[in-house]
Amino acid sequence: MEETSEKLLKLTIDGIETEAREGETILQVAERLLIDIPTLCHWKFVKPYGACRICTVEVEVHGKTRMVPACTYNVRDGIVVQTRSEEVIKHRKMLLELMLARHSQVDVVRKLAHEYGVDTTRFEEMPSEQCINCGLCVRVCAEVVGANALTFVKRGTERYVSTPFEGESETCIACGACAYVCPTGHIKVEDIRGRKYVVSELALGPTTPIHIPFAAAIPGIPVIDAQSCIHMQTGGCGICSKVCEPDAIDYEMQDTFEEMEVGSIILATGFKTFDPARAEQYGYGRLDNVITSLEFEHMSHASGVTGGALVKEDGTEPKSVAILHCIGSRDKNFNEYCSRVCCMYSLKMAHLIREKIPDADIYELYIDMRCPGSGYEEFYNRLLEEGVHFIRGKGVEVSSAPTLATAERAEGKKLYVRCEDTLLGVPRELPVDMVILSVGLEPTADAEEIARVFKITSKADGFFMEKHPKLAPVDTLSDGIFIAGCAQGPKDIPDSVAQGAAAAAAAMSLIDAGEVALEPITSVVDEEVCTGCKTCMVVCPFGAISYDEEKHISVINDVLCKACGCCVAACPSGAITQRGFDDAQIEAELAALLMS
Amino acid sequence: MEQPKEKLKLGVYWAASCGGCDISMLEIGEKILIVDELADIVLWPCIADFKYKDVKAYPDKYIDVTFFNGAIRNSEAEEIAHLLREKSKILIAYGSCSYEGGIPALANFYSKEEVFDRAYHESQSTVNPDRIEPKTKHTENGYELYLPEFWETVRKLSDIVDVDYFIPGCPPAENTTWAAIEAIVSGELPPTGSVIGAGNKSVCDECPRERKETKIKRFKRPHEYVAPDPEQCLLEQGIICMGPATRSGCEARCINAGMPCRGCYGPCADVYDQGAKMISAIGSVLESEDEEEIQRVIDEIVDPAGLFYRFSMSHSYLVRRRLVGAKKETK
Amino acid sequence: MADITAAEKSPANTAEGIVPFEPKIIGFLCWWCTYAASDMAGTSRLKYPPNVSIIRVMCSSRVDPSFVMRAFAEGADGVLIGGCHPGQCHYISGNYKTVARISLLKKMLSQFGVEDERLRLEWISAGEIHKYAKVVTDMTEKVRKLGPLNWRKNFEPK
């Protein structure tokens, strides 16, 4: 306030001398001084309305006192305000008594009345109405959202809130702002649903347009999802910018792409899980209660969709669960490789189920148990002792009804998992409540594109290929590009961390050196022979060849040249040679190889 | 030009040749008088009646310079090539045929039998009901008549004997011929085995047309264009011009006349196989990354071998079409 | 023109007995993909015929058609060119140039009487070691069936 040159108004509130700016209300000044004035129809982000009058205070102007609502009364110079004088209390009590007569069942009114010692009313009680006609919803819809979907209907004691003409509003965008501001809870979000615009709930994604991307995001600041933000989609709402006191909301902000110049790049682009819908026999997406290991993980997590409770589709607890290993892995139809992590996480899932549902029957259907690693075998042994049924035999089919005569029978609706128990040598069909598919790891959907962009190679399975499987496990054929984690192949967290550290160290060594040794195999133009036909310029994918207008010849930039040799072959006059791969050298190789 | 003390002895010979090279030597115009002042002609079958026995009678290295034009097509040409090598101080392969096979070497895409079939039986102007073909030996009235043997493969002169210098062209342009003569007379000759009279770069060096960096979408055959843009590179206009892969020295005269270069000056200095180089260059400038489209554009080149090896078949790595199981050459 | 004679096609008779014809195949392999695949095929102990002799190039686009013709001229029975898959060229577009050149070269080689199977262009990525082994095996067998090319015999003066 110091920095403004405008005239400040002097006033006294409850004996405190203070100053206010032109246009400020008593309520605003009182708030600043932490003087509590009750309100019902006030919300600082909409214009004051003075509907409930509960904020009434006593003002003395030029020796005359008046009762005024604090929310609408603009401060004048020299006024003396009493917010809790006897007269004020008396006034409020009367108002509350009147309100109680009409809204006896409204919590917020009863609570406030109780604070003022008003528990009964002397007036004739009418059937309690939830809406106290504060008009907050009407104002927020008009002023903040801009939808004007609500209005007051009729006057006096018959006044109530509705949509224009009481029909289904065409302007309502179902933002929920009215429900949010409603002091009595009369308007509920559920009532707004089914209107024009609905933000559908995403079980695994962000549930609100404004959210922090994930728990450990860096920086840990919220973002607005433009797809579901009402303001971004309709231009309405915008409430976040009003409530944000530091004024940090910027709707104009766009996604930006930042270009960074770096010396080396570590690709740790991870994996995706196998989509079990591709293996139809497991009924994923077709049968209820067939879920993937990742979905189980979401469910069992304390902050997950069910708050950590394991439930079937019908909301009840599963009493028997089958965990099927190697879904999409070690399978000629999909991926031949072992995904390396599934045995261990399947054991973990069994352990979690045992913890949460101690009497559940848990089956692990495996081809082999692969538990190499520190403490892994011990964990397997522990699970054996926890009473998990281990069946050596891959689950081959999940169906809603038994298919084998030998199927084990069970009460109620069950899923039947067929397998061959190779230790018993019998085909079995297990009735269970829930099937968890331990899906394997696959290269990310855009792995091929990434490989293309970074000019690295992929293995037959689609994971990025290291320069040498033993001697250069984090390097790639492209200098300065390193790979780590599941981008290179399935591996567990300890291995990924170790590889990540190795890749970081390899990148560091380049940074430390400060320079890169280029292979001296670039191409060079013989000025005496070149005629400037520009054929080479057409073929060079790196724009490394330019035309010397004075000499009428092509010139190769040594730094830009990546040494593919394409121009050498293209040069019709034989004017270009590639160092280390010149024609004479290759022809000498040829001659030597063909010498019989 | 300074006159040497003694007049040079000059020989000119034609083997498998059209005679154009002999005429091209006269294209130097009045400068032929200077040649006459400087040199005596001791062999020139085209203009004077020298007999082989006359040449055989010369002492070894008697002839100072022999201009040998024409490819080696039969046993006679081979014999004379050996003879002239013996009798000449400097043996020069003059013209495309002698230097790199030339037009006659296009017959290397056929076998001897196919050539004979075409020449003596199939051609529209031939009436040969008795199916008479040339024989190397024939007896008539007790006299034995001999004809040179026709070879399966046309060779360049340097395949038969050591050649000192090469003068390219079909025929060599008069400036090329004159430049070579000047070099010989002045004695300022490059190391043996060099091409003389022509440039060391490609025809593009002499070509006045402008090459941008345009890629080619399709090729046109000669009947598909009428008047190409006079300013722009012919290759860029989809007209296959051998200029980029052809030695300079002709002053780009075909191109200046609106015709694409056919490559008669042979490969550039650092290249052996002109056709292979041209394939590489043509393949480089196609504007497509679609294998099917590339194939479609390539199919527009009807006869790549004949086009890219029009003059240089004998100066290529493969030299001829494969003769699988056919009768081998007998000499 | 006559077909390949029986003598050319069948194994050579020697004092030791019948020695089967072993084709000599030159492989121009790009460093980033096919050469890496051949390397890996070796370290993976894959079995395939030893008939392909490798010349490493940085990119298949370095392979000048002259090299191929020279290889045939000097006694190769086949030439294999291996590059990266389209769109995966380490040098962005080199392999497209190779396609154009080799397609044109193949067309021309047919005019020279060289069978199509003797020149083969294959896209084999670094990871496709089994494909590499398969291509080499297949090509060796096909060229073996075609018999020796023996180009010099065509025109070498006696």
Side-chain angles (χ1 to χ4, degrees), chain C:
Chain C
M1 195 171 292
D3 273 341
I4 300 166
T5 58
E8 271 184 311
K9 208 170 178 178
S10 67
N13 287 303
T14 64
E16 289 81 37
I18 292 166
V19 180
F21 159 58
E22 283 301 337
K24 258 178 185 279
I25 298 170
I26 296 294
F28 291 101
L29 308 186
C30 107
W31 166 234
W32 305 98
C33 289
T34 316
Y35 188 85
S38 76
D39 212 14
M40 193 67 119
T43 44
S44 306
R45 301 287 189 272
L46 292 192
K47 279 202 171 142
Y48 54 90
N51 299 55
V52 174
S53 306
I54 298 169
I55 292 179
R56 175 170 79 98
V57 286
M58 294 310 286
C59 177
S60 61
S61 70
R62 174 66 187 93
V63 181
D64 191 324
S66 314
F67 298 161
V68 178
M69 302 187 83
R70 177 126 191 206
F72 284 133
E74 305 225 341
D77 299 301
V79 174
L80 170 67
I81 298 168
C84 306
H85 283 273
Q88 291 180 6
C89 179
H90 187 78
Y91 301 107
I92 302 169
S93 58
N95 49 5
Y96 294 114
K97 308 283 179 278
T98 313
V99 173
R101 290 169 186 164
I102 300 305
S103 307
L104 189 51
L105 178 61
K106 269 174 165 280
K107 183 169 180 179
M108 199 172 79
L109 282 175
S110 73
Q111 294 181 285
F112 278 89
V114 177
E115 296 91 340
D116 196 54
E117 290 94 331
R118 292 193 191 269
L119 173 58
R120 188 156 169 171
L121 174 61
E122 283 285 348
W123 308 135
I124 304 170
S125 76
E128 292 177 319
I129 58 171
H130 294 281
K131 184 175 179 188
Y132 178 74
K134 209 176 129 207
V135 165
V136 169
T137 310
D138 183 64
M139 182 162 182
T140 304
E141 283 325 302
K142 282 189 173 143
V143 174
R144 197 195 301 283
K145 239 177 229 165
L146 291 173
L149 186 63
N150 214 347
W151 195 265
R152 286 275 173 217
K153 227 162 94 188
N154 270 315
F155 56 88
E156 205 102 274
K158 301 279 149 53

Side-chain angles (χ1 to χ4, degrees), chain A residues 7-266:
Chain A
K7 191 176 160 245
L8 293 175
L9 310 167
K10 290 195 187 335
L11 77 156
T12 311
I13 298 186
D14 291 354
I16 304 166
E17 284 182 15
T18 186
E19 290 174 333
R21 279 175 300 176
E22 193 87 42
E24 268 190 305
T25 62
I26 293 172
L27 190 61
Q28 282 170 320
V29 178
E31 255 180 19
R32 200 159 62 233
L33 296 171
L34 302 178
I35 294 167
D36 182 47
I37 298 174
T39 59
L40 282 172
C41 72
H42 178 74
W43 192 44
K44 61 183 175 180
F45 301 108
V46 292
K47 281 194 200 116
Y49 191 54
C52 68
R53 322 296 289 184
I54 202 76
C55 63
T56 296
V57 292
E58 191 178 345
V59 175
E60 187 187 328
V61 192
H62 307 310
K64 291 185 216 161
T65 57
R66 296 171 55 189
M67 304 302 284
V68 296
C71 66
T72 54
Y73 188 87
N74 288 343
V75 173
R76 293 203 232 155
D77 201 31
I79 59 170
V80 178
V81 183
Q82 301 282 341
T83 71
R84 298 193 69 83
S85 69
E86 226 172 277
E87 196 61 24
V88 169
I89 301 294
K90 196 176 135 202
H91 206 97
R92 289 187 190 155
K93 276 183 168 180
M94 176 57 73
L95 281 167
L96 286 163
E97 226 177 310
L98 283 165
M99 270 188 222
L100 266 187
R102 192 162 170 184
H103 309 292
S104 58
Q105 299 306 311
V106 176
D107 281 353
V108 67
V109 175
R110 277 165 48 152
K111 210 173 141 213
L112 189 60
H114 183 73
E115 278 175 27
Y116 281 82
V118 179
D119 290 318
T120 53
T121 177
R122 290 168 286 166
F123 303 101
E124 188 189 344
E125 277 194 50
M126 297 160 82
S128 174
E129 280 174 30
Q130 278 286 318
C131 178
I132 58 170
N133 281 331
C134 67
L136 267 178
C137 53
V138 177
R139 282 175 286 147
V140 84
C141 193
E143 293 175 29
V144 178
V145 182
N148 290 302
L150 292 169
T151 183
F152 277 116
V153 181
K154 297 191 179 171
R155 282 187 286 178
T157 54
E158 289 178 13
R159 197 179 202 212
Y160 63 95
V161 173
S162 185
T163 51
F165 308 108
E166 307 202 27
E168 175 138 325
S169 168
E170 286 185 4
T171 54
C172 172
I173 55 173
C175 65
C178 48
Y180 177 78
V181 296
C182 180
T184 71
H186 177 54
I187 303 177
K188 296 178 184 65
V189 177
E190 298 87 87
D191 300 336
I192 312 164
R193 286 271 155 75
R195 297 291 184 114
K196 198 173 160 195
Y197 187 91
V198 176
V199 182
S200 63
E201 264 178 297
L202 305 165
L204 301 179
T207 50
T208 52
I210 300 185
H211 58 273
I212 292 172
F214 52 93
I218 296 171
I221 53 171
V223 295
I224 301 176
D225 174 27
Q227 291 307 306
S228 51
C229 167
I230 289 164
H231 179 75
M232 302 286 203
Q233 295 296 326
T234 69
C237 188
I239 189 65
C240 53
S241 70
K242 296 217 167 58
V243 301
C244 179
E245 287 185 4
D247 205 15
I249 309 278
D250 179 3
Y251 298 118
E252 301 300 309
M253 203 181 254
Q254 294 290 316
D255 288 349
T256 56
F257 293 90
E258 286 188 26
E259 272 188 30
M260 285 186 279
E261 274 197 16
V262 296
S264 34
I265 294 166
I266 299 171

Side-chain angles (χ1 to χ4, degrees), chain B residues 189-231:
Chain B
L189 283 163
T192 51
S194 303
V195 169
I196 55 170
N200 283 323
K201 295 199 169 195
S202 77
V203 174
C204 298
D205 195 41
E206 299 171 329
C207 174
R209 289 170 183 267
E210 197 198 345
R211 174 91 188 253
K212 299 184 189 85
E213 280 175 68
T214 325
K215 293 192 173 188
I216 298 164
K217 289 196 179 72
R218 62 157 302 200
F219 292 110
K220 291 182 196 135
R221 301 191 66 195
H223 63 270
E224 290 176 295
Y225 57 86
V226 181
D229 183 317
E231 306 291 330

Side-chain angles (χ1 to χ4, degrees), chain B residues 261-281:
Chain B
C261 170
R262 284 141 189 248
C264 73
Y265 267 50
C268 300
D270 290 353
V271 177
Y272 181 76
D273 192 309
Q274 188 184 14
K277 259 299 174 197
M278 198 60 200
I279 284 185
S280 196

